[in-house]
Amino acid sequence: MGSKVKRELLKTPRGTRDLLESELSVVRKIQKTAQEFSSYYGFQEIQTPHFEHAELFGASLGESTDVVEKQTYTFRTRGGDALVLRPEGTVPAVRAYFEHGLGSWPQPVMLYYSGSFFRHESPQKGRFREFNQFGLEILGEELAVAEATIIRVCSLIFKELGIETSLELNTLGDKECRPTWKKELVAFYRKHFEKLCKDCKRRFKENPLRLLDCKEPSCQEFKAKAPQMLEYVCEECKAHFKEVLEFMDSLELPYRLNPQLVRGFDYYTRTVFEFVTTGKTEAEGETGGPASPSASQGGKRVELGGGGRYDYLAQVLAGKDLAAAGAALGIDRIAELVSSRPEEKDRAQLLKTERPQVFLIQLGMAAKRKILSLMEDFRKARIPLAQSLSKDSLRGQLRLASKLGVEFSLIMGQKEALEGTIIIRNMDSGMQETLPVAKALERLKLKFK
Ligand code: HAM
């Protein structure tokens, strides 16, 4: 008996693994890349505990979601407290926002985190019970620029790591329009109830939106014919989604609308998105199975990251209003793609986090969109920069710029956005000059060389 017990003890628990130096170096490289991009784009790091109060996740993720129903590791301490190993990082970030009064900071608050998360899933390739995520959250921003910034930073991270992904987008509406869609969905599925698979029969009763996650071949025809949210979306949600898509266009980020994308948690409203492997990346290095039920069973469509807007989460958690959006990247899955790449290309040196020297000011939507892509030129030119994409007034942004003590502000308004120019303002003397963007960039590059 002894030898059997011992052999078991010499293995990590199911769904967990040791990472040795060769794997760790890849993981660290991904984390470092993600951290550097995130801090350049204005995100600050947060670390939250690996365990939280057991009740924290129930209502906030949704009682009938797979994670809450069957995947959380809950335990009692010797003192009798009920705790849970964190299954994800968004709820803890929102908890921390209220615990530390981050509402009094200039909004939005932009946070990133990196670490282990725990879900009791059936382990398979690319799906673990302890896994690593890198997450980004923008708290206190109702405009589509929040989703756009999150998606932009994630896609830059993938690009820097040499991973080709495809971006899928959908809108889930809000509390005004989603119930109508849900009703239609239920009415549609009721007609076919007897033909649904066992899981879908359960989903039908507990969480009808999850019906769209089903991968059973026999349920596919229903999914394809099911009413789509886009047909029921209210005017406000439609306008918001349109803005998100316009950002994607101006950033030249290709996307695919996926009306069946519903994601695994109940806290999402309006925009949801996922970064999935393209056939090409998989051919270069096959990764394992899907993270959530939304990925395919055959291991073809691997979800490398995902997120969305979650404007009502703070209501559920703290009874407060807080518009927010975020995403998390699955580091373990990304690591498999990075490590299996045959040759390492020389990557452009990233910028170290330095004190910002320039503040980028935008006035109006056209400028906002331009600036999100302009920032990448600044990053490549290694110019430490700050911005506040959510602020709209010149005065507010100039105030922030002087608070940060930057030497220059760059101002882009509607006129400059159209003309491809930018105003460069010396913050000490108040002197201003309008220059073509490329020229302004050259000048600052020389200045901060
Ligand atoms: P999620 O889709 O559950 O979202 O997880 C994000 C990513 O983590 C997935 O795309 C996948 O790559 C990876 N992942 C999830 N589960 C596993 C697993 N068992 N093994 C390996 N990798 C896994 C969230 O967690 C949300 N908190 C994202 C978010 C942030 N939404 C808004 N803000």
Side-chain angles (χ1 to χ4, degrees):
M1 166 212 142
S3 70
K4 193 168 172 225
V5 171
K6 261 196 194 139
R7 222 173 294 140
E8 282 299 303
L9 283 180
L10 292 179
K11 284 189 182 148
T12 60
R14 218 162 109 74
T16 68
R17 68 222 165 110
D18 299 316
L19 293 177
L20 303 183
E21 182 56 34
S22 57
E23 291 137 332
L24 269 179
S25 62
V26 177
V27 167
R28 285 201 204 101
K29 175 181 151 173
I30 299 167
Q31 287 168 332
K32 188 163 171 269
T33 304
Q35 267 162 11
E36 287 181 344
F37 272 94
S38 308
S39 32
Y40 189 81
Y41 279 79
F43 292 81
Q44 295 181 28
E45 186 170 8
I46 183 167
Q47 278 187 16
T48 64
H50 283 79
F51 50 83
E52 297 271 359
H53 290 297
E55 312 93 282
L56 187 73
F57 291 97
S60 28
L61 297 184
E63 298 290 355
S64 60
T65 55
D66 281 354
V67 170
V68 172
E69 262 195 348
K70 24 183 206 210
Q71 295 177 350
T72 48
Y73 287 96
T74 43
F75 59 98
R76 281 210 179 265
T77 62
R78 284 162 201 255
D81 292 337
L83 300 176
V84 57
L85 291 184
R86 57 182 188 182
E88 61 90 69
T90 309
V91 173
V94 175
R95 183 214 22 83
Y97 179 94
F98 290 109
E99 181 169 348
H100 305 289
L102 305 193
S104 64
W105 289 13
Q107 302 293 298
V109 173
M110 296 165 73
L111 302 173
Y112 77 80
Y113 49 85
S114 181
S116 286
F117 294 85
F118 307 86
R119 295 181 197 171
H120 186 82
E121 307 205 60
S122 349
Q124 49 178 276
K125 201 160 180 270
R127 189 199 277 175
F128 305 98
R129 290 182 171 177
E130 176 176 4
F131 57 97
N132 259 282
Q133 278 190 353
F134 184 92
L136 293 158
E137 313 290 349
I138 300 186
L139 307 156
E141 177 57 74
E142 59 183 12
L143 300 177
V145 69
E147 290 100 309
T149 307
I150 299 273
I151 293 175
R152 170 72 167 165
V153 173
C154 291
S155 63
L156 285 170
I157 296 168
F158 284 123
K159 193 165 164 223
E160 181 69 21
L161 293 168
I163 297 174
E164 227 180 276
T165 56
S166 98
L167 168 65
E168 299 191 351
L169 280 162
N170 192 21
T171 179
L172 298 179
D174 62 7
K175 57 177 181 240
E176 302 303 324
C177 52
R178 201 193 298 181
T180 323
W181 174 48
K182 213 162 152 180
K183 230 160 95 193
E184 292 296 323
L185 201 65
V186 169
F188 169 82
Y189 270 97
R190 182 170 290 121
K191 286 188 275 178
H192 306 285
F193 186 81
E194 286 313 318
K195 291 188 216 126
L196 298 179
C197 72
K198 205 171 104 240
D199 270 345
C200 276
K201 285 189 171 138
R202 183 179 54 83
R203 290 182 184 119
F204 179 85
K205 292 191 183 117
E206 292 174 0
N207 200 342
L209 255 55
R210 291 277 101 67
L211 286 160
L212 298 176
D213 265 344
C214 185
K215 298 296 169 313
E216 276 300 313
S218 59
C219 292
Q220 296 313 301
E221 64 163 299
F222 307 124
K223 250 170 72 172
K225 290 186 198 144
Q228 301 186 352
M229 182 66 222
L230 266 174
E231 295 163 31
Y232 297 89
V233 87
C234 63
E235 284 310 312
E236 286 83 3
C237 288
K238 196 185 274 176
H240 184 90
F241 196 47
K242 192 165 161 256
E243 262 185 36
V244 173
L245 300 183
E246 280 167 7
F247 266 113
M248 298 301 106
D249 291 340
S250 64
L251 289 167
E252 293 176 18
L253 266 175
Y255 59 84
R256 184 174 86 84
L257 292 181
N258 178 356
Q260 276 137 21
L261 187 68
V262 287
R263 309 263 313 132
F265 302 126
D266 284 359
Y267 56 53
Y268 292 108
T269 49
R270 294 192 166 170
T271 326
V272 285
F273 55 87
E274 277 176 5
F275 289 92
V276 297
T277 46
T278 61
K280 193 161 173 231
T281 324
E282 274 180 79
E284 284 173 10
E286 239 268 293
T287 60
S292 75
S294 65
S296 83
Q297 298 299 330
K300 286 226 167 63
R301 178 191 181 279
V302 179
E303 190 194 316
L304 298 177
R309 173 164 285 282
Y310 50 95
D311 291 348
Y312 305 141
L313 174 58
Q315 263 303 336
V316 178
L317 210 59
K320 304 250 171 68
D321 284 332
L322 178 72
L329 305 179
I331 301 298
D332 309 81
R333 295 177 184 191
I334 297 173
E336 291 203 27
L337 296 175
V338 172
S339 57
S340 64
R341 288 180 67 79
E343 97 287 8
E344 270 295 316
K345 271 195 265 150
D346 271 344
R347 306 271 178 240
Q349 265 239 308
L350 282 158
L351 188 70
K352 292 244 164 42
T353 324
E354 289 169 35
R355 211 172 69 81
Q357 305 285 355
V358 179
F359 195 94
L360 204 48
I361 293 176
Q362 40 67 35
L363 304 166
M365 262 329 262
K368 214 172 249 194
R369 278 196 210 112
K370 274 247 162 103
I371 269 179
L372 213 42
S373 38
L374 197 63
M375 281 181 74
E376 199 43 25
D377 298 332
F378 279 85
R379 194 192 61 80
K380 285 191 186 133
R382 309 174 63 73
I383 299 169
L385 174 114
Q387 44 74 31
S388 172
L389 282 169
S390 66
K391 286 215 168 15
D392 286 327
S393 83
L394 178 62
R395 216 203 284 155
Q397 293 180 75
L398 276 175
R399 204 182 302 133
L400 208 59
S402 2
K403 217 161 133 187
L404 288 170
V406 295
E407 215 176 320
F408 295 98
S409 281
L410 288 172
I411 307 166
M412 185 178 274
Q414 191 85 2
K415 179 164 171 280
E416 290 77 23
L418 283 175
E419 288 173 353
T421 58
I422 201 156
I423 299 167
I424 180 162
R425 177 189 173 104
N426 184 311
M427 293 298 284
D428 278 338
S429 65
M431 295 272 280
Q432 296 195 163
E433 195 182 344
T434 305
L435 292 174
V437 170
K439 227 182 188 149
L441 193 67
E442 270 318 302
R443 189 174 294 178
L444 291 171
K445 218 156 118 181
L446 283 177
K447 176 94 194 145
F448 296 115
K449 214 171 178 178

